[in-house]
């Protein structure tokens, strides 16, 4: 066939069709074109085929790889569905694929999908309301881990989130045996199950029947006479009476009662009101973070962020602080960046020097891709667990509530480290559950993205892109208790408070430290360059459509000085001036590749070991003299320096200019 | 019996993407297509005893889908008001002729997606998030719905061209 160039009008009609915005009039016009032109029909069918493939591909990619175990070759449903039509599609048959994959459920119908590991929790409590044990004692708490075994309670409502993403709500009195993350035996009571694609194959057994979910929403009840009922609210459920060969699918808004002994099936009316309350599916589906909804941080919270490169760059912190700025100041937590200033497993010295002076109430420990990268691989997960446990205890002893974050790189990108990486994340989740900590499960969130978040990482795979930072910020905001706040698409970066607007600088032919003699003789002259801050973007960056995606743009806009040194064997010396009306206390905030600072000829900082880059990585308390104060800086290339009166240098203080 | 059931389920599974595409192409409305798709699956399940292993499953499934579309149009008022049985027949015939190339197209799409710029891939991925629509994407991206729609349109054109190019290279 000759190449067919679809006319503009036809293209637009197809686009409207793909966007679900095709009007009846447009539909009629589209039909006319299709009826009159065989080439257009051919193109149209190819287009629809592509649209469907796109759905399938993105939906497949969104499913956790281990959601379906040992799926058969050529199975189009090894993935999952997230849109409603896909859900129904999967409801019809993908589950059958799962059932085939699992070999026995459909035809053999007796073997559980997974064999539970008694040492691993299979679910956690994501919501709990007035649950009392049979003996009247209060039971469980949000975040508690649930292991395979019996769950029995007299009253109240409980919601479990299984590690495969299934959510089960139960209202008391109820007795259920959690058999695995894919199987529950309901002895008495009522449960409602929402199984996202990753949990297809989740089954609820009763004495009378077994119900297998096919990516759906349904309720199961066990009546006093041991008959059971299934009510399907969305998707499809397969039912098989105990001891029977008969397998019957039930669709949306259908319900059936199955007798215990004879296996008789009787159609009844589906009734959602008979089952525990419905949770927010959308929230659960979009955010795969496996942690409970959190209360907002308490008033007066001071949160210090400890992490590595991405924390240090602080892009997601900037986003979070922009969003939190919407809150009244009294309820707005203050965020402090200590990224890369201390090792993740810092000791008492680090704690004293970098963390405690910030007087934090909370500390976010951000694990990133470095968790499994060269030089930072803790040689065995048990050792990692021990070290992390110790760190958490230290923080708690100091009255600081730890918050844990998993890394943003999908483990499988580094296959040799995959096992460790996943084991580390499991440790983080387990400890968060053990101590009831807030958990920012960025790893789970990224894993659920269509490409596992690969497109949200920079080439070095160690830092997120700007969009990647948005995703991280989204997860973190939810864990901090502000899931309702949305992150804007556009950002403006302004000069941070106290920057010195003009610097004189020159490139030194060596990277050796400045000697005292050199410092004494420094006197900028006409040969020195002048840097005016904030520096404008260079010509190439100005061409960029979305400038704030560039860290150079962001840093320049915030008041970093970019001196033109690109040779690691050379360095930069720069002089700036601060005029003070009288003698007074102040803080000098540093960042970038700055290595040493002199105030009025006296060295006040010499730190050549730090890898931290963020503004305020060092805060030096100084006393300014009346009149002109001279500040000399030695740096490798770019640097940040500001002088502020406030003893805090947090997200609020950084907006105060 | 168990083997027949397994064969049937396998056929059903492997036909899903093509079956949905077929129904959608004839209905031109995703919501209606979803409903008919689900009903078709149920009917296929119910009629599984009629299916003979080794025969053309898709041709059979497409035939049943066409009946379901007709039945749907009769009982639903919200179906597209414009329906031409001639067009339906033309599209159905042509769709059957194209069956052989669908898998190659599906595979080519995978390669072509990798050639897209990451931000475009992200945009497309967003389109398939739960509850996603051009309108809520517009809010998220701080653009007008028209602008989002246009970006998606261009992305799809790039993909269509890329698929054709790849198929041509493979001599299809």
């Amino acid at each position: 066939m000759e190449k067919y160039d679809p006319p503009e009008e036809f293209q637009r009609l197809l686009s409207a069709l793909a966007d679900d915005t095709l009007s009846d009039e447009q539909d009629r016009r589209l039909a006319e074109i299709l009826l009159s032109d065989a080439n257009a029909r051919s193109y149209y069918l190819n287009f629809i085929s592509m649209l469907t493939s796109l759905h399938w591909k993105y939906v497949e990619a969104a499913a956790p790889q281990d959601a379906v175990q040992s799926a058969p070759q050529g199975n189009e449903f090894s993935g999952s569905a997230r849109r409603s039509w896909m859900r129904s599609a999967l409801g019809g048959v993908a589950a059958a694929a799962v059932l085939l994959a699992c070999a026995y459920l459909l035809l053999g119908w007796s073997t559980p999908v997974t064999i539970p590991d008694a040492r691993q929790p299979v679910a956690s409590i994501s919501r709990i309301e007035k649950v009392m044990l049979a003996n009247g004692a209060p039971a469980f708490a949000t975040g508690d881990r649930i292991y395979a075994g019996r769950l029995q309670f007299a009253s109240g409502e409980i919601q479990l989130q299984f590690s495969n993403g299934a959510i089960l709500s139960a209202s008391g009195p109820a007795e259920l045996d959690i058999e695995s993350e894919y199987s529950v035996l309901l002895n008495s009571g009522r449960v409602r199950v929402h199984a996202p694609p990753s949990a297809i194959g989740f089954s609820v057994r009763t004495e009378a029947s077994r119900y297998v979910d096919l990516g759906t929403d349904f309720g199961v009840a066990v009546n006093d006479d041991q008959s059971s009922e299934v009510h399907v609210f969305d998707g499809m459920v397969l039912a098989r009476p105990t001891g029977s060969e008969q397998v019957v699918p039930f669709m949306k808004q259908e319900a059936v009662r199955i007798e215990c002994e004879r296996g008789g099936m009787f159609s009844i009316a589906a009734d959602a009101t008979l089952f525990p309350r419905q949770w927010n599916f959308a929230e659960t589906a979009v955010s795969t973070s496996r942690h409970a909804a959190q209360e907002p941080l308490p008033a007066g919270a001071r949160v210090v962020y400890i992490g590595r490169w991405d924390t240090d760059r602080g892009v997601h912190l900037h986003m979070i602080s922009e969003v939190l700025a919407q809150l009244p100041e009294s309820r707005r937590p203050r965020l402090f960046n200590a990224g890369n200033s201390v090792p993740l497993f810092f000791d008492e010295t680090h704690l004293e020097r970098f963390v405690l002076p910030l007087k934090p109430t909370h500390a976010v420990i951000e694990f990133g891709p470095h968790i499994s990268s060269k030089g930072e691989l803790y040689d065995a997960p048990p050792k990692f667990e021990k070290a992390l446990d110790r760190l958490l205890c230290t923080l708690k002893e100091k009255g600081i509530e730890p918050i844990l974050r998993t890394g943003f790189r999908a483990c499988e990108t580094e296959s040799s480290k995959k096992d460790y990486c996943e084991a580390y994340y499991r440790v983080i989740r387990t400890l968060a559950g053990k101590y009831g900590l807030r958990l920012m499960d960025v790893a789970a969130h990224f894993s659920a993205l269509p490409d596992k978040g690969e497109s949200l990482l920079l080439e070095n795979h160690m830092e997120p892109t700007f969009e990647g930072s948005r995703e991280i910020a989204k997860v973190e905001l939810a864990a901090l208790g502000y899931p309702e706040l949305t992150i804007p698409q556009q950002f403006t970066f302004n000069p941070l408070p106290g920057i010195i607007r003009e610097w004189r600088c020159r490139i030194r032919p060596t990277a050796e430290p400045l000697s005292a003699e050199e410092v004494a003789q420094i006197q900028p002259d006409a040969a020195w360059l002048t840097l005016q801050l904030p520096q404008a973007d260079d010509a190439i960056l100005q061409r960029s459509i979305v400038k704030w995606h560039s860290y150079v743009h962001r840093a320049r806009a915030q008041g970093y000085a970019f001196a033109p040194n690109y040779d690691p064997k050379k360095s930069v010396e720069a002089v700036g001036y601060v005029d003070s009306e009288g003698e007074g206390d102040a803080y000098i905030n540093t960042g970038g590749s700055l290595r040493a600072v002199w105030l009025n000829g006296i060295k006040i900082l010499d730190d050549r070991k730090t890898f931290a880059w963020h503004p305020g990585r060092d805060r030096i308390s100084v006393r300014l003299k009346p009149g002109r104060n001279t500040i000399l800086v030695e740096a490798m290339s770019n640097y940040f320096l500001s002088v502020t009166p406030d003893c805090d240098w947090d997200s609020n203080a950084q907006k105060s200019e | 019996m168990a083997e027949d059931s397994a064969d049937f389920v396998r056929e059903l599974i492997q036909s899903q993407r093509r079956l949905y595409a077929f129904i959608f192409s004839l209905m031109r409305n995703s919501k209606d297509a979803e409903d008919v798709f689900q009903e078709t699956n149920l009917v296929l399940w119910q009629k599984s005893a009629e299916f003979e292993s080794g025969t053309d499953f898709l041709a059979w499934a497409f035939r049943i889908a066409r009946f379901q579309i007709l039945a749907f149009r009769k009982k639903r008022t919200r179906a597209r008001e414009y329906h031409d049985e001639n067009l339906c027949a033309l599209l159905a015939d042509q769709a059957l002729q194209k069956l052989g190339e669908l898998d190659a197209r599906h595979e080519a799409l995978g390669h072509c997606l990798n050639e897209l710029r990451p931000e475009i891939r992200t945009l497309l991925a967003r389109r398939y998030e739960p509850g996603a629509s051009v309108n809520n994407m517009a809010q998220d991206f701080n653009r007008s719905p028209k602008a989002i729609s246009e970006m998606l349109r261009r992305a799809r054109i790039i993909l269509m061209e890329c698929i054709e190019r790849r198929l041509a290279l493979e001599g299809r």
Side-chain angles (χ1 to χ4, degrees):
Chain A
M1 192 183 87
E2 280 181 28
K3 187 174 182 301
Y4 172 70
D5 269 332
E8 175 83 11
E9 181 198 13
F10 185 45
Q11 284 279 13
R12 297 206 173 275
L13 291 170
L14 293 182
S15 182
L17 176 66
D19 291 343
D20 280 333
T21 57
L22 192 73
S23 67
D24 283 342
E25 195 182 333
Q26 286 175 312
D27 178 62
R28 181 181 292 273
R29 179 63 192 137
L30 177 59
E32 281 171 9
I33 295 173
L34 293 175
L35 202 52
S36 63
D37 185 344
N39 285 335
R41 282 198 298 278
S42 176
Y43 187 91
Y44 168 79
L45 288 168
N46 292 343
F47 183 80
I48 298 291
S49 155
M50 182 190 73
L51 281 189
T52 310
S53 288
L54 272 172
H55 276 278
W56 247 252
K57 279 189 184 295
Y58 276 109
V59 160
E60 271 178 356
Q65 289 301 308
D66 55 0
V68 179
Q69 300 177 5
S70 62
Q73 290 298 312
N75 169 12
E76 295 183 51
F77 281 107
S78 58
S80 63
R82 298 205 296 177
R83 279 169 63 78
S84 59
W85 67 265
M86 291 295 287
R87 206 165 51 236
S88 58
L90 282 163
V93 256
V98 176
L99 299 176
L100 268 185
C102 302
Y104 303 106
L105 276 174
L106 182 60
L107 304 172
W109 203 264
S110 57
T111 306
V113 175
T114 54
I115 298 165
D117 178 349
R119 295 161 303 175
Q120 291 296 332
V122 295
S124 62
I125 296 178
S126 54
R127 192 172 297 176
I128 191 159
E129 207 168 300
K130 298 175 185 162
V131 166
M132 300 292 281
L133 292 176
N135 62 10
F140 317 119
T142 302
D144 277 0
R145 299 282 142 165
I146 301 294
Y147 295 80
R150 179 156 294 183
L151 188 64
Q152 187 176 13
F153 57 102
S155 62
E157 283 189 10
I158 195 167
Q159 181 174 297
L160 306 181
Q161 174 134 22
F162 285 76
S163 40
N164 57 24
I167 300 172
L168 179 147
S169 291
S171 55
E175 180 186 297
L176 50 159
D177 291 332
I178 313 285
E179 298 179 318
S180 74
E181 65 176 320
Y182 277 96
S183 177
V184 166
L185 169 63
L186 181 65
N187 298 311
S188 65
R190 291 169 182 274
V191 297
R192 183 159 175 174
V193 175
H194 171 68
S198 55
I200 286 172
F202 188 92
S203 75
V204 177
R205 293 196 300 126
T206 68
E207 195 174 329
S209 185
R210 180 170 196 152
Y211 304 104
V212 176
D213 165 84
L214 301 186
T216 187
D217 173 19
F218 67 101
V220 176
V222 171
N223 300 320
D224 290 343
D225 62 357
Q226 288 303 304
S227 64
S228 68
E229 294 175 13
V230 64
H231 297 235
V232 183
F233 308 119
D234 195 9
M236 189 191 238
V237 169
L238 295 181
R240 178 182 184 240
T242 304
S244 164
E245 293 291 310
Q246 196 183 6
V247 177
V248 182
F250 288 92
M251 316 291 284
K252 187 175 174 181
Q253 296 310 324
E254 290 181 343
V256 67
R257 180 168 174 270
I258 300 182
E259 287 179 325
C260 183
E261 288 178 5
R262 284 173 296 175
M265 291 186 170
F266 302 95
S267 180
I268 55 176
D271 185 353
T273 62
L274 297 174
F275 294 90
R277 74 184 67 176
Q278 196 166 24
W279 44 85
N280 184 345
F281 289 154
E283 187 184 316
T284 308
V286 172
S287 166
T288 56
S289 302
R290 293 166 182 174
H291 53 82
Q294 292 285 356
E295 291 293 316
L297 292 171
R302 295 166 68 89
V303 186
V304 58
Y305 274 71
I306 298 161
R308 293 301 305 273
W309 305 111
D310 68 305
T311 312
D312 192 49
R313 286 271 192 244
V315 184
H316 61 289
L317 265 79
H318 182 89
M319 292 169 174
I320 292 170
S321 65
E322 286 277 300
V323 170
L324 293 179
Q326 301 167 28
L327 299 175
E329 198 163 342
S330 58
R331 289 202 294 121
R332 194 186 307 160
R334 308 186 76 147
L335 309 184
F336 297 83
N337 190 353
N340 237 357
S341 294
V342 295
L344 275 171
F345 292 98
F346 45 84
D347 58 21
E348 282 286 328
T349 321
H350 292 118
L351 195 67
E352 294 288 340
R353 180 176 167 197
F354 292 103
V355 180
L356 296 184
L358 302 173
K359 302 186 181 72
T361 56
H362 297 73
V364 180
I365 316 288
E366 296 197 323
F367 289 97
H370 47 274
I371 198 168
S372 63
S373 72
K374 298 173 198 104
E376 294 245 3
L377 181 66
Y378 299 94
D379 48 8
K383 188 174 171 186
F384 174 79
E385 180 165 3
K386 223 169 165 182
L388 183 54
D389 203 335
R390 199 165 46 236
L391 173 67
L392 298 179
C393 289
T394 306
L395 288 169
K396 283 154 81 82
E397 278 167 18
K398 303 282 182 193
I400 301 167
E401 183 187 320
I403 300 171
L404 293 175
R405 192 197 81 177
T406 55
F408 49 79
R409 188 172 55 167
C411 294
E412 52 267 39
T413 58
E414 200 176 356
S415 56
S416 63
K417 308 280 171 53
K418 183 181 172 186
D419 292 344
Y420 270 7
C421 183
E422 283 171 355
Y424 289 145
Y425 291 159
R426 225 168 15 241
V427 165
I428 292 169
R429 290 176 187 129
T430 304
L431 288 179
K434 177 180 169 185
Y435 293 117
L437 305 177
R438 290 170 196 260
L439 173 65
M440 301 166 165
D441 204 342
V442 172
H445 183 76
F446 269 51
S447 288
L449 295 175
D451 61 351
K452 307 272 180 204
E454 276 294 293
S455 60
L456 298 175
L457 300 181
L458 294 179
E459 291 294 312
N460 63 11
H461 279 242
M462 299 295 279
E463 291 173 68
T465 60
F466 197 80
E467 279 303 315
S469 294
R470 288 188 86 242
E471 293 297 324
I472 293 170
K474 213 188 287 179
V475 175
E476 296 201 355
L477 269 171
L480 294 176
Y482 311 98
E484 74 286 1
L485 301 180
T486 52
I487 300 159
Q489 283 293 335
Q490 296 193 21
F491 286 87
T492 309
F493 288 82
N494 295 315
L496 295 172
I499 60 165
I500 296 171
R501 300 269 171 171
E502 184 176 299
W503 290 89
R504 306 296 308 284
C505 83
R506 71 176 175 188
I507 310 300
R508 298 177 65 228
T510 172
E512 290 297 309
L514 277 166
S515 67
E517 295 74 35
E518 284 177 300
V519 170
Q521 288 168 14
I522 282 175
Q523 187 61 53
D525 57 27
W528 287 47
L529 299 166
T530 300
L531 302 179
Q532 296 284 355
L533 305 191
Q535 287 173 289
D537 290 330
D538 64 23
I540 290 176
L541 195 48
Q542 280 176 15
R543 268 188 241 155
S544 169
I545 296 168
V546 190
K547 289 178 195 158
W548 59 84
H549 283 202
S550 157
Y551 90 90
V552 177
H553 166 82
R554 297 193 298 263
R556 280 184 172 155
Q558 287 186 309
Y560 278 70
F562 279 71
N565 176 35
Y566 311 105
D567 185 347
K569 291 179 186 153
K570 296 179 181 175
S571 59
V572 173
E573 58 194 54
V575 174
Y577 304 100
V578 178
D579 291 321
S580 175
E581 284 182 7
E583 196 173 359
D585 293 329
Y587 288 84
I588 290 185
N589 315 293
T590 68
S593 71
L594 180 148
R595 302 194 307 184
V597 181
W598 290 259
L599 173 64
N600 299 324
I602 297 166
K603 189 188 275 187
I604 55 171
L605 176 79
D606 190 346
D607 187 353
R608 290 158 204 281
K609 289 182 184 165
T610 183
F611 291 103
W613 191 84
H614 63 270
R617 66 150 200 239
D618 280 297
R619 303 207 69 225
I620 311 147
S621 171
V622 296
R623 192 149 181 88
L624 298 177
K625 67 179 186 184
R628 171 155 286 201
N629 293 265
T630 304
I631 294 178
L632 170 65
V633 159
E634 184 197 325
M636 291 307 293
S637 54
N638 57 62
Y639 62 90
F640 177 84
L641 188 142
S642 76
V643 184
T644 53
D646 197 327
C647 64
D648 269 338
W649 178 254
D650 65 306
S651 50
N652 280 2
Q654 290 176 22
K655 289 184 190 306
S656 62
E657 185 163 89
Chain B
M1 179 63 197
E3 267 182 31
D4 288 349
S5 297
D7 281 349
F8 178 80
V9 172
R10 192 175 299 112
E11 292 277 14
L12 195 54
I13 293 158
Q14 289 176 350
S15 71
Q16 288 298 290
R17 175 170 49 81
R18 286 167 287 192
L19 182 59
Y20 177 78
F22 177 78
I23 294 170
F24 184 37
S25 68
L26 266 56
M27 301 201 72
R28 301 189 300 279
N29 177 306
S30 62
K31 283 196 171 54
D32 292 348
E34 288 161 24
D35 288 347
V36 171
F37 182 46
Q38 185 164 325
E39 282 163 23
T40 303
N41 271 323
L42 185 60
V43 173
L44 290 171
W45 182 286
Q46 288 163 345
K47 290 181 182 288
S48 60
E50 296 173 16
F51 173 69
E52 290 174 29
S53 282
T55 60
D56 190 340
F57 182 88
L58 268 175
W60 179 66
F62 281 13
R63 210 163 42 242
I64 288 177
R66 281 195 64 186
F67 283 122
Q68 291 308 309
I69 293 170
L70 279 174
F72 181 87
R73 287 188 192 283
K74 278 182 191 160
K75 71 180 178 193
R76 297 283 176 95
T77 48
R78 78 150 196 247
R80 287 269 181 232
E81 65 173 47
Y82 182 82
H83 174 69
D84 187 313
E85 195 44 38
N86 284 340
L87 175 59
C88 232
L90 284 169
L91 285 171
D93 286 349
Q94 225 158 328
L96 273 171
Q97 287 164 24
K98 280 180 172 289
L99 274 179
E101 64 183 70
L102 289 184
D103 284 343
R105 287 187 170 276
H106 185 66
E107 197 180 319
L109 174 67
H111 295 289
C112 293
L113 278 172
N114 287 335
E115 289 176 19
L116 286 180
R117 294 207 314 274
E119 59 270 30
I120 302 296
R121 277 207 304 272
T122 304
L123 187 81
L124 279 170
R126 288 278 175 93
R127 179 69 185 88
Y128 300 104
E129 281 187 355
S133 68
V134 169
N135 279 342
N136 58 32
M137 284 173 73
Q139 266 184 342
D140 283 355
F141 285 86
N142 206 13
R143 300 279 182 93
S144 68
K146 202 174 166 189
I148 294 291
S149 192
E150 183 60 20
M151 286 159 77
L152 286 168
R153 186 178 78 89
R154 283 189 195 152
R156 292 188 195 109
I157 290 174
I158 292 170
L159 285 174
M160 282 290 279
E161 287 175 352
C162 172
I163 292 170
E164 295 305 329
R165 209 168 43 244
R166 288 194 78 94
L167 293 181
L169 278 175
E170 291 166 11
R172 288 174 189 268

